[in-house]
């Protein structure tokens, strides 16, 4: 074990574990697929899953983790809604001697660290996702576009990092200009409303960069309601890989979907087993994501959720 593990909660090796999964919200297909992946994995292994849904509230999510601590679960898997408000939950689990893994979203690295305060972060490289979206968009518009950006949940790691990856890439492409950027909270209806307002204020927009597929689907509805043709009047780059967005790509409305894989069950449960055996777990386990374009979307569609 690395020395940093010295003051980390230990996990006794057991046949089956009682495992808590603190979900953020369930208002989109990505979240539902993630929960399904956890439930299926628990069932497959015969582990008990204590599941909570914070319904979009970081405060409720902190309370959910506290209740898992009170129920003495063996391990907590936490998908932290925002980077800062969930820090107390991470620290209280550590204090209670319960190993905690961050699933899919991170917490502020200046306040809590993998291998010291929690065991590990398991998830995607969101900066890379933003970079890949930018790369595909720049190519599709020949280096020239006025972009509206729909940002994810304010204060969440995917929103922060997807914005950064995109911004970094377009620095070297002066023909690409982000003319408006606002949060649609990773939600379809909010995405529709925010896009509608931004597009009314900026009818010169020629592209959309959206931090997730649900907001993209909302924006497409707003474009069509305004009599515009997504994929022609506005070139769209999105992230996740939901069935609706994959279909929109197939239909030519979206030019690229960068994958963010929600199927965390196998990797998360494997990491728990490894930790229970006393083996070192890397503090950051990064999922490999694919890039979907019209070249490969037909292949992916059957597994889209
Ligand atoms: O992209 C989005 C979800 O945290 C990576 O959250 C996840 C993001 C995902 O609500 O659709």
């Amino acid at each position: 074990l690395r020395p940093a593990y010295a003051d980390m909660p230990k996990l006794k090796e057991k046949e089956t574990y009682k495992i808590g999964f603190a979900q953020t919200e369930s208002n989109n297909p990505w979240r539902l697929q993630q929960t399904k992946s956890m439930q299926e994995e628990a069932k497959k292994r015969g582990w008990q899953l204590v599941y909570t849904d914070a319904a979009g509230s970081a405060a409720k999510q902190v309370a959910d983790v506290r209740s898992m601590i009170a129920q003495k679960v063996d391990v907590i898997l936490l998908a932290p809604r925002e980077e800062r408000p969930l820090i107390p939950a991470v620290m209280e689990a550590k204090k209670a001697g319960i190993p905690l893994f961050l699933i899919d979203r991170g917490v502020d690295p200046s306040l809590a660290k993998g291998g010291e305060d929690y065991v590990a972060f398991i998830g995607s490289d969101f900066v890379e996702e933003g970079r890949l979206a930018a790369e595909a968009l720049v190519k599709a518009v020949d280096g020239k576009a006025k972009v509206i950006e729909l940002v994810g949940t304010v204060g969440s790691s995917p929103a922060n990092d997807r914005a950064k990856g995109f911004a970094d890439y377009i620095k070297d492409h002066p023909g690409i200009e982000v003319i408006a950027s606002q949060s649609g909270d990773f939600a379809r209806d909010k995405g529709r409303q925010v896009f509608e307002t931004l597009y009314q204020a900026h009818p010169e927009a020629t592209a959309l960069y959206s931090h997730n597929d649900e907001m993209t689907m909302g924006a497409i509805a707003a474009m069509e309601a305004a009599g515009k043709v997504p994929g022609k009047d506005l070139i769209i780059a999105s992230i996740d890989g939901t069935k609706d967005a994959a279909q929109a790509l197939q239909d030519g409305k979206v030019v690229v979907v960068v994958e963010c894989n929600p199927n965390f069950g196998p990797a998360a449960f494997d990491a728990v087993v490894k930790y229970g055996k006393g083996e070192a777990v890397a503090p950051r386990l990064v999922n490999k994501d694919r890039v979907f374009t019209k070249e490969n979307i037909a292949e992916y569609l059957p597994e889209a959720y």
Side-chain angles (χ1 to χ4, degrees), residues 90-103:
V90 172
M91 294 310 186
E92 286 172 36
K94 180 184 179 185
K95 210 169 145 222
I98 300 175
L100 179 142
F101 292 75
L102 293 179
I103 302 296

Side-chain angles (χ1 to χ4, degrees), residues 25 27-28 30-31 104-105 124 126 129 158 162 185-186 211-214 239-240 260:
E25 57 212 356
N27 62 344
N28 84 50
W30 192 98
R31 290 281 147 204
D104 99 66
R105 290 188 188 175
S124 292
F126 302 127
E129 288 175 347
R162 286 171 184 171
D185 203 16
F186 281 135
H211 289 192
N212 86 341
D213 286 348
E214 280 295 277
I239 300 176
D240 269 355
C260 181

